Amino acid sequence: MSDTPHTAPRGRIDWADPALSERLRLRKRRQFWLKALGLGAVGVAALMLFVLIASLVVTGYQAFRQTHATIEVNIDPFQVDPANIRGGNFDDIIETAILAYFPDVEAPGEQREIVRILSDGAEFQLRDRVLDNPELIGERVSITVPLSDPYDLLNKGLIDRTTPEENRRLKDDQIARFDTLAEAGIISQPLNTALITNADSRFPELAGLKGALVGSFYALATCFLLAFPVGIGAAIYLEEFAPKNRLSDLIEININNLAAVPSVVFGLLALAVFIGWFGLPRSAPFVGGMTLALMTLPTIIIATRAALKAVPGSIREAALGVGASRQQVVFQHVLPLAMPGILTGTIIGLAQALGETAPLLLIGMNAFITSAPETPFDSATALPTQIFIWADSPERGFVSRTSAAILVLLTFLVTMNALAIFLRSRFERRW
Amino acid sequence: MNDMRMTERARLMQDIKISARDVNVYYGATRAINDVSIDIRDKTVTAFIGPSGCGKSTFLRCFNRMNDTIESARVTGTIELDGRDIHAPDLDPVQLRARVGMVFQKPNPFPKSIYDNVAYGPKIHGLAASKADLDDIVERALRRAALWDESKDRLTASGTSLSGGQQQRLCIARAIATEPEVLLMDEPASALDPIATAQIEELIDELKENYCVVIVTHSMQQAARVSQRTAFFHLGDLVEYGDTGQIFTNPKNERTESYITGRIG
């Protein structure tokens, strides 16, 4: 051994050695399994997503249509005083119009049953129409009004006519009356625009998402206006100007931890501070936006710092080298280059905020409010809290509406994420 | 002959542009430059050579106070530009860097148009009176950087769309657009191919007519080709400083000779 120098080759390797080829085979097999497992994981994820979307669509698609009846109403000047339209007897007008299809019915109880086929909102719809066009008084007009929830379900096939009568929501005579109207050809099932144009209601056929959409918009706008400048400011200071010492390390750790704090905690904080101490109104989208801003702030700070860090040092050196001040380096070179990354992070943060429910529940944004907010300080709901309210409601019509609202929320989230991806790919620079 | 050399020397003695005395640079507790004193002549190319990590780039960055931007770095000693201390409290590093331009190892044009790259320095220092004036500054700088003919038809194209050699000439144009007195070059050709390198070297030779050029280089051939004065650094010390011809043919110091002949480095 001692006579062979350590620099000499150890001899030719026999690559045909079965032990070596066995090893190679084993390596290939492991790689195959790794790929198979990865593919399986992707498959499971895709399947879950498909099941989620499919179940929402299956239960939710019915809510995008609403059964309506088109009836001829006689707007009698004796019932509606042109000087006081709001005080008009619109319920009587509707009642007369619908009872016209049942000339034989005399009993008041049965008449009441017939009127209940139409939604309680019918008279208000008529009133609003007359308020807009007072010249309709004295005219005979046809108006399309929604049917009440049980008849809507019946028309959509969600109430099974073969179920024994005692277990059925609608009895035989109620179904018979509906069929009379259907034979008269006045039943239609148009697109349910009320889902977007109406605010919340006790009656599923009248309930819509307008209040929630406007509430969410105000809350997100407030959140963006607060979190975006503050987040970018904090990130720029921490990344570009702050001395690297214990204090800045501590701040950094705290910001990272803040991003992991459960959202319900931010809700409690907002309840105690914004509403408890500062006496801001409950249920207001402005307060909701402030709460969401607390949550979004760490996300934006972290994303902005990462984007600033990703700008190569050579650009900073180049700018410093021609005599740019630190402030000029940051605002004229680094920030514009980091902007796509910052915007991506911000949009993802806002998308997260849009779907956040718990903190909004705590500040009372799950109140029952039947009109859309006029200002960010009016009471309102938000999309996720509206879903929460509807999911909690006993009326069966809300089942499909809950799914429909989830689909609306998901549409917004997907749109926002797509925008983030678009911005990233459109403006991203490679060095 | 002898008389001429004497007058020549006297002229050069008066033309000291940068004068450094007992300069030390520390990175945290590490000392990167040890008591370096050097006088750098105006309208001359001075080359800093030495093995990797010898501190030549660090020392170069003292002249425009770029080391200020590194948090852990600390510079002691005095450096005078035209007899004025560059660390004087009334001298702003931002203005100093306009007077002492710098070209970096890797071409680093801003991801903006060629025009904006060159115009940036004059703009931030308010050197152009009008748009026409700025156009003139940009054209002059690009001409002196030998880039005008290639770029005059596409001044709005991105600086990053140029080739490596063109990018480096753009960086030189950007550096000279503020009419600096000194041009610092930190291995300006090390990321370039031989043809681009030759162009840059030719350019450096022309630039010395108007500027005091200090160039850090790894390549001894490059130092021999472009410089009139050479300083050899080793382990943070200025080992030898003299006329380039003398350093390469007749080094006085043993360490210099070892490096020149390839025994250390």
Side-chain angles (χ1 to χ4, degrees):
Chain A
M1 224 22 223
S2 58
D3 53 339
T4 39
H6 244 73
T7 50
R10 297 205 321 158
R12 210 171 264 284
I13 290 165
D14 177 18
W15 289 109
D17 185 350
L20 285 185
S21 33
E22 172 62 23
R23 206 179 158 73
L24 192 64
R25 209 177 57 79
L26 199 70
R27 277 157 58 179
K28 278 187 177 161
R29 202 171 66 198
R30 282 193 185 141
Q31 180 160 339
F32 168 80
W33 278 111
L34 182 66
K35 272 160 89 178
L37 280 174
L39 206 61
V42 171
V44 169
L47 185 73
M48 292 294 184
L49 190 64
F50 175 76
V51 167
L52 170 74
I53 303 287
S55 72
L56 286 174
V57 170
V58 165
T59 49
Y61 82 99
Q62 297 273 27
F64 290 103
R65 305 184 81 84
Q66 164 69 36
T67 314
H68 280 70
T70 308
I71 51 174
E72 297 275 321
V73 294
N74 203 357
I75 305 171
D76 192 340
F78 291 110
Q79 305 245 11
V80 182
D81 176 6
N84 180 19
I85 295 175
R86 280 187 184 279
N89 259 332
F90 293 101
D91 50 342
D92 278 352
I93 298 174
I94 295 278
E95 201 174 317
T96 318
I98 188 80
L99 287 176
Y101 292 93
F102 302 92
D104 310 334
V105 176
E106 300 283 336
E110 208 180 338
Q111 284 187 341
R112 219 177 299 129
E113 278 294 315
I114 290 166
V115 172
R116 277 193 197 144
I117 293 175
L118 298 182
S119 165
D120 279 23
E123 55 171 297
F124 301 113
Q125 200 176 321
L126 180 63
R127 184 194 67 190
D128 290 347
R129 190 152 159 205
V130 176
L131 275 171
D132 287 345
N133 306 296
E135 67 271 21
L136 289 178
I137 295 170
E139 300 285 319
R140 189 170 174 78
V141 294
S142 95
I143 181 168
T144 304
V145 295
L147 256 55
S148 67
D149 185 39
Y151 295 94
D152 179 44
L153 295 174
L154 177 71
N155 189 44
K156 285 172 178 169
L158 295 173
I159 289 179
D160 190 356
R161 288 166 189 255
T162 57
T163 316
E165 191 180 5
E166 61 271 25
N167 296 338
R168 209 184 317 122
R169 178 112 175 260
L170 291 177
K171 307 303 172 203
D172 286 345
D173 54 341
Q174 290 174 308
I175 291 178
R177 283 186 216 113
F178 172 79
D179 289 342
T180 312
L181 289 178
E183 276 159 30
I186 64 164
I187 303 294
S188 59
Q189 211 185 57
L191 202 63
N192 185 11
T193 52
L195 190 67
I196 301 296
T197 57
N198 279 9
D200 199 10
S201 165
R202 266 186 311 129
F203 307 106
E205 70 272 14
L206 298 176
L209 290 169
K210 189 181 174 192
L213 287 171
V214 176
S216 267
F217 172 77
Y218 281 143
L220 271 196
T222 309
C223 171
F224 174 78
L225 290 177
L226 286 175
F228 189 68
V230 174
I232 290 189
I236 287 176
Y237 178 74
L238 288 174
E239 196 56 42
E240 303 285 337
F241 296 103
K244 300 277 171 286
N245 55 25
R246 279 227 176 134
L247 184 67
S248 60
D249 281 351
L250 193 72
I251 291 174
E252 176 160 6
I253 290 169
N254 273 303
I255 287 172
N256 290 341
N257 282 339
L258 221 50
V261 169
S263 55
V264 67
V265 176
F266 286 107
L268 281 169
L269 178 80
L271 181 64
V273 176
F274 298 151
I275 295 175
W277 288 359
F278 297 134
L280 291 172
R282 276 167 202 279
S283 311
F286 179 74
V287 180
M290 281 168 56
T291 316
L292 295 176
L294 288 178
M295 279 189 49
T296 316
L297 207 49
T299 314
I300 292 182
I301 294 177
I302 291 168
T304 305
R305 291 189 68 178
L308 292 174
K309 238 181 225 153
V311 174
S314 63
I315 296 292
R316 288 165 220 262
E317 282 204 319
L320 286 169
V322 293
S325 66
R326 287 286 281 273
Q327 175 265 331
Q328 284 171 325
V329 172
V330 171
F331 285 94
Q332 296 174 353
H333 298 280
V334 178
L335 203 56
L337 293 173
M339 226 20 165
I342 296 173
L343 286 181
T344 308
T346 306
I347 292 171
I348 287 172
L350 287 180
Q352 222 173 40
L354 176 65
E356 202 54 69
T357 324
L360 300 184
L361 293 181
L362 280 165
I363 61 156
M365 282 190 79
N366 57 338
F368 175 70
I369 294 141
T370 55
S371 60
E374 302 267 326
T375 70
F377 302 95
D378 295 339
S379 292
T381 55
L383 271 175
T385 48
Q386 190 66 62
I387 291 167
F388 180 82
I389 298 167
W390 283 358
D392 231 18
S393 300
E395 288 85 358
R396 274 198 58 197
F398 280 121
V399 175
S400 61
R401 278 173 175 76
T402 306
S403 296
I406 294 172
L407 285 174
V408 170
L409 178 62
L410 285 180
T411 309
F412 278 103
L413 292 179
V414 169
T415 311
M416 287 173 83
N417 283 321
L419 184 69
I421 292 166
F422 169 76
L423 282 175
R424 191 163 50 203
S425 60
R426 174 76 178 70
F427 295 108
E428 191 178 45
R429 271 177 195 284
R430 290 180 183 84
W431 280 277
Chain B
M1 181 72 192
N2 207 11
D3 279 357
M4 248 186 79
R5 209 179 261 171
M6 290 294 282
T7 50
E8 171 89 274
R9 182 171 293 172
R11 192 184 68 78
L12 289 175
M13 288 298 278
Q14 286 162 2
D15 271 1
I16 300 298
K17 189 73 188 173
I18 302 173
S19 163
R21 288 289 171 273
D22 302 321
V23 172
N24 288 282
V25 180
Y26 301 87
Y27 287 121
T30 330
R31 190 166 165 186
I33 295 289
N34 312 318
D35 287 327
V36 172
S37 298
I38 194 169
D39 287 325
I40 291 171
R41 294 176 185 172
D42 200 4
K43 306 210 191 310
T44 305
V45 178
T46 305
F48 289 179
I49 61 169
S52 294
C54 68
K56 54 192 188 300
S57 288
T58 300
F59 187 57
L60 185 77
R61 293 164 65 98
C62 291
F63 296 155
N64 66 347
R65 291 181 61 181
M66 277 298 270
N67 287 326
D68 290 14
T69 63
I70 301 165
E71 210 169 311
S72 61
R74 194 161 55 83
V75 181
T76 65
T78 57
I79 299 171
E80 288 178 350
L81 177 68
D82 286 335
R84 271 198 67 201
D85 185 4
I86 65 167
H87 290 101
D90 60 330
L91 197 142
D92 195 292
V94 163
Q95 269 185 8
L96 175 72
R97 289 183 200 132
R99 291 173 59 196
V100 182
M102 188 158 195
V103 177
F104 297 86
Q105 180 171 5
K106 216 181 115 216
N108 55 357
F110 300 131
K112 298 174 188 267
S113 72
I114 294 173
Y115 184 95
D116 286 342
N117 261 282
V118 182
Y120 183 69
K123 258 190 212 163
I124 59 171
H125 295 291
L127 304 181
S130 63
K131 177 78 176 72
D133 202 15
L134 190 62
D135 290 349
D136 182 58
I137 291 175
V138 170
E139 182 177 338
R140 272 168 197 273
L142 283 171
R143 276 188 195 282
R144 277 184 293 165
L147 193 62
W148 176 251
D149 292 335
E150 293 150 84
S151 64
K152 63 171 180 248
D153 297 326
R154 47 185 196 132
L155 289 175
T156 53
S158 171
T160 50
S161 67
L162 298 170
S163 74
Q166 289 173 325
Q167 285 190 11
Q168 195 61 303
R169 276 179 280 150
L170 177 61
C171 292
I172 293 173
R174 181 176 63 191
I176 59 183
T178 55
E179 297 293 340
E181 297 147 46
V182 180
L183 197 56
L184 308 176
M185 298 182 139
D186 190 356
E187 301 184 33
S190 67
L192 304 180
D193 63 69
I195 292 170
T197 303
Q199 285 174 323
I200 298 284
E201 286 179 4
E202 203 177 315
L203 185 57
I204 293 170
D205 204 47
E206 287 165 20
L207 289 171
K208 78 162 191 291
E209 302 298 323
N210 296 304
Y211 304 103
C212 161
V213 180
V214 187
I215 175 170
V216 164
T217 178
H218 262 310
S219 153
M220 283 182 281
Q221 290 87 339
Q222 188 172 59
R225 280 194 300 263
V226 301
S227 72
Q228 289 76 54
R229 302 277 290 170
T230 297
F232 170 62
F233 287 82
H234 189 227
L235 302 175
D237 295 317
L238 173 60
V239 177
E240 193 169 349
Y241 177 47
D243 287 336
T244 301
Q246 177 253 314
I247 294 277
F248 280 96
T249 54
N250 186 21
K252 294 195 176 69
N253 191 289
E254 213 177 304
R255 279 202 276 173
T256 316
E257 193 186 351
S258 304
Y259 181 67
I260 303 289
T261 53
R263 283 204 297 275
I264 56 171

